[in-house]
Amino acid sequence: RSALHSLISVENRADFDLARAATESRDYIVETSSGAVLPAAITGSRIEGSQDVIFVFHDITDRRRAERRVSYLAKHDGLTRLPNRMQFKHLLQQALARAQRDATLVALLYLDVDRFKEVNDTFGHSAGDRALEILSERLTAKMPQGAVIGRLAGDEFAAFLPISGVSDRGVLAALSREVLTDVSRAFFLNDTEIYLTLSVGIALSEAPIDNTIDLIRSADVAMYHAKQSGGGTYAFYDPQMSIAAVERLVLKSKLRRSLELEELVTLYQPLVDLESGAVVGAEALLRWRLPGHGDIPPSEFIPLAEQSNLIHAIGEWVFRRVCADFAAWRTAGAAPKRVAINLSLRQFGRPGTVERIAEILKEHNVAPSVIELEITESTLMEYERSGPVLESLAALGFRIAIDDFGTGYSSLAALRQMPVQTLKIDQSFVHRLTEDGDNATLTRTIVELGRNLGLEVVAEGIETTEQRQLLALQGCHLGQGRLFGAPMTAQQFQERLVTEKPESPPTIRFSA
């Protein structure tokens, strides 16, 4: 017995019982004759007809190592080696308990990578994983001592740290700015320079958000608010944000139902020749007529549609609606020459979209050559990503127009490379046209640029005769705005077209 006890490590020796060991298998730490210490499973077996017992020692080092690995992976993210969501919430709960005991607070930062899907779609998931590794390394290096960082899901991270009170908001704001600056430093993926930006939401463990669930939810709401502000920034949680978040959730749910009930409508605003005053087309304005809420403008529900991927269904619905109106005008003898529809590259980049659009054109007997697709100037700036899509669409016969021109910073080179036929001057310049000499100079420059490149130029938001006359003198081709008529239904616009009997087919433009 003494010889067997001598093999058991000192810390396990008191727990070793010879009689029990003879009938069961248990794990111990043993010391070999060479001085090595290792975990072993000791199994005893009595020899039949004898009082002697045979003990078998089995080295379980590999098993213990695997168990530790499994335990680690159960609590940590395999890619970034940060605490996973479950472990992070456990550590946060402990921190909140300490803060309540010490009459201090915990600050939680919820971090989400802006437009991370584009990295995965462009460079592949392995490159996306590498980007997340770089992000976690930078976060770990930037966060102060005592902070705990975790990966909650996908491209969502969080960090918490103890603070003395609400007076530390300035410190948290400064930390957030430093994190945003550090994370946005360029790095290379597949020999391509990449920039990542974050949206950060900050919540403090003040009552009533003094528990894990409410604290994470509040920081998430603040993060969403920062993302809605354009991303690359931070926001502190405010109770009003929760109210707005609930309203967004309700609207998002109702939007899906409204699409099924066809509560979306298009209203057409006349487009006129600035010299003759003749109606040559219309801009179709998308509206959501929600019972009990009135008309909801696209600026409110389109972002909701993009977040829930309803933008694809809405885009297809709009295309079908405008094609049906075009066919009706044609039957009435007032067929426009072309119809312009707002283009979401996110929609057209989805597999199968072009095929579905082609089916709609065929269903209504509308040729691609009568469709003009409007893109924003920011899309023009992303030439490397949007260029191939637009080139493919133009090759199919679609026309391309740039909406709200003048609000971005697109280059002349990108403008010349894109298959563009129309520039639309943003209405913010038109509204101040007769009051601000700089705006008059800008509109004249855009008109001259368009004419020199052989493009049609359209001025949006014309409200006075003076604005119309000045734009006509500058050489602007077409205009639209309340001076020429309020938005109207497709039937009302058809009646106007039939009444005026335009000498040449009108031009129809669409903008969400």
Side-chain angles (χ1 to χ4, degrees):
R1 174 179 178 178
S2 60
L4 185 60
H5 268 80
S6 66
L7 294 175
I8 309 300
S9 66
V10 175
E11 60 267 26
N12 279 182
R13 198 167 294 170
D15 186 49
F16 181 76
D17 181 85
L18 186 62
R20 186 174 60 189
T23 60
E24 64 183 32
S25 177
R26 297 193 67 184
D27 296 346
Y28 295 93
I29 301 298
V30 301
E31 298 178 0
T32 66
S33 58
S34 63
V37 177
L38 52 86
I42 302 179
T43 303
S45 180
R46 291 187 180 277
I47 300 176
E48 186 176 353
S50 170
Q51 295 297 317
D52 295 333
V53 179
I54 296 176
F55 290 95
V56 177
F57 287 66
H58 179 68
D59 185 353
I60 59 173
T61 300
D62 290 340
R63 193 188 80 189
R64 284 287 180 88
R65 185 181 297 116
E67 289 173 348
R68 287 194 299 270
R69 179 62 177 167
V70 170
S71 177
Y72 178 86
L73 291 177
K75 299 178 180 178
H76 294 79
D77 172 53
L79 177 67
T80 64
R81 297 178 293 281
L82 296 174
N84 60 20
R85 188 181 189 90
M86 181 182 68
Q87 178 67 358
F88 182 84
K89 291 173 66 176
H90 175 68
L91 296 174
L92 177 58
Q93 188 173 16
Q94 293 180 335
L96 288 172
R98 288 193 298 269
Q100 291 174 353
R101 183 189 63 220
D102 301 336
T104 57
L105 296 178
V106 172
L108 176 64
L109 282 69
Y110 202 111
L111 311 100
D112 184 87
V113 183
D114 299 323
R115 295 174 293 278
F116 181 71
K117 186 176 183 297
E118 296 179 6
V119 176
N120 276 334
D121 290 347
T122 304
F123 301 102
H125 288 278
S126 61
D129 286 347
R130 179 55 188 150
L132 293 177
E133 287 180 311
I134 293 173
L135 172 62
S136 66
E137 291 167 2
R138 291 180 177 181
L139 287 176
T140 302
K142 183 55 62 175
M143 285 294 173
Q145 186 175 6
V148 175
I149 310 169
R151 184 186 180 193
L152 303 189
D155 60 343
E156 298 178 10
F157 295 78
F160 69 81
L161 63 157
I163 59 173
S164 58
V166 294
S167 59
D168 285 341
R169 284 172 65 102
V171 175
L172 293 170
L175 173 62
S176 298
R177 288 192 292 269
E178 291 177 8
V179 168
L180 292 172
T181 299
D182 192 64
V183 167
S184 65
R185 288 186 291 113
F187 60 93
F188 284 88
L189 284 179
N190 300 336
D191 298 323
T192 300
E193 195 171 32
I194 300 296
Y195 298 87
L196 287 182
T197 62
L198 295 177
S199 292
V200 181
I202 308 169
L204 309 183
S205 60
E206 302 174 277
I209 55 172
D210 53 3
N211 59 82
T212 303
I213 295 176
D214 287 342
L215 188 60
I216 291 178
R217 181 186 295 122
S218 299
D220 186 19
V221 168
M223 181 277 295
Y224 178 85
H225 186 79
K227 192 173 287 289
Q228 287 297 100
S229 299
T233 187
Y234 66 91
F236 282 90
Y237 172 75
D238 184 281
Q240 291 299 317
M241 292 179 180
S242 290
I243 297 175
V246 171
E247 291 177 348
R248 283 193 301 270
L249 185 61
V250 171
L251 281 179
K252 190 181 295 185
S253 176
K254 289 185 176 181
L255 178 58
R256 186 179 300 277
R257 183 62 176 162
S258 291
L259 184 61
E260 297 172 357
L261 296 175
E262 294 200 357
E263 292 173 345
L264 297 178
V265 298
T266 52
L267 299 178
Y268 294 86
Q269 189 169 42
L271 176 70
V272 306
D273 184 299
L274 291 183
E275 290 188 0
S276 66
V279 175
V280 296
E283 177 184 13
L285 305 173
L286 182 63
R287 293 290 183 267
W288 178 17
R289 288 187 168 167
L290 180 62
H293 287 74
D295 281 6
I296 301 177
S299 59
E300 292 186 22
F301 71 82
I302 289 299
L304 296 179
E306 291 177 341
Q307 295 156 20
S308 58
N309 280 331
L310 277 176
I311 189 64
H312 304 294
I314 289 177
E316 187 171 319
W317 181 91
V318 168
F319 197 92
R320 187 180 300 276
R321 180 69 267 161
V322 174
C323 284
D325 288 341
F326 178 92
W329 294 330
R330 181 179 57 202
T331 301
K337 185 177 181 180
R338 64 180 186 269
V339 180
I341 301 177
N342 182 260
L343 169 64
S344 167
L345 286 183
R346 181 176 177 183
Q347 174 197 352
F348 275 79
R350 190 183 192 186
T353 296
V354 174
E355 288 76 9
R356 286 192 294 274
I357 292 301
E359 291 176 2
I360 295 172
L361 291 172
K362 184 178 180 180
E363 177 185 342
H364 295 282
N365 194 25
V366 176
S369 57
V370 305
I371 300 295
E372 184 170 75
L373 303 171
E374 290 188 2
I375 63 173
T376 61
E377 193 172 3
S378 59
T379 302
L380 184 68
M381 294 163 62
E382 301 176 14
Y383 178 73
E384 287 189 4
R385 185 170 68 92
S386 60
V389 177
L390 293 176
E391 293 287 352
S392 298
L393 293 171
L396 290 175
F398 293 102
R399 290 174 55 90
I400 307 296
I402 299 181
D403 197 14
D404 301 332
F405 191 79
T407 57
Y409 300 92
S410 57
S411 68
L412 181 59
L415 183 60
R416 292 174 63 89
Q417 286 177 306
M418 290 285 198
V420 175
Q421 287 84 26
T422 305
L423 294 183
K424 300 188 72 175
I425 304 174
D426 186 70
Q427 60 182 340
S428 62
F429 302 116
V430 176
H431 289 168
R432 300 189 299 270
L433 181 63
T434 59
E435 303 170 3
D436 188 336
D438 290 340
N439 275 283
T441 301
L442 180 58
T443 57
R444 183 170 59 252
T445 300
I446 295 175
V447 170
E448 292 176 353
L449 172 64
R451 295 179 70 92
N452 290 336
L453 293 176
L455 305 178
E456 178 184 75
V457 182
V458 178
E460 300 179 290
I462 301 176
E463 297 181 349
T464 68
T465 301
E466 189 178 4
Q467 291 171 347
R468 171 194 169 181
Q469 291 174 342
L470 183 54
L471 286 163
L473 287 174
Q474 291 180 345
C476 185
H477 304 105
L478 304 173
Q480 59 190 70
R482 291 196 173 272
L483 177 65
F484 309 113
M488 59 190 70
T489 65
Q491 179 60 35
Q492 290 170 330
F493 179 64
Q494 174 183 307
E495 292 171 357
R496 182 164 178 175
L497 285 178
V498 172
T499 300
E500 296 195 6
K501 295 181 180 178
E503 296 180 1
S504 59
T507 301
I508 308 303
R509 305 180 187 282
F510 171 80
S511 178

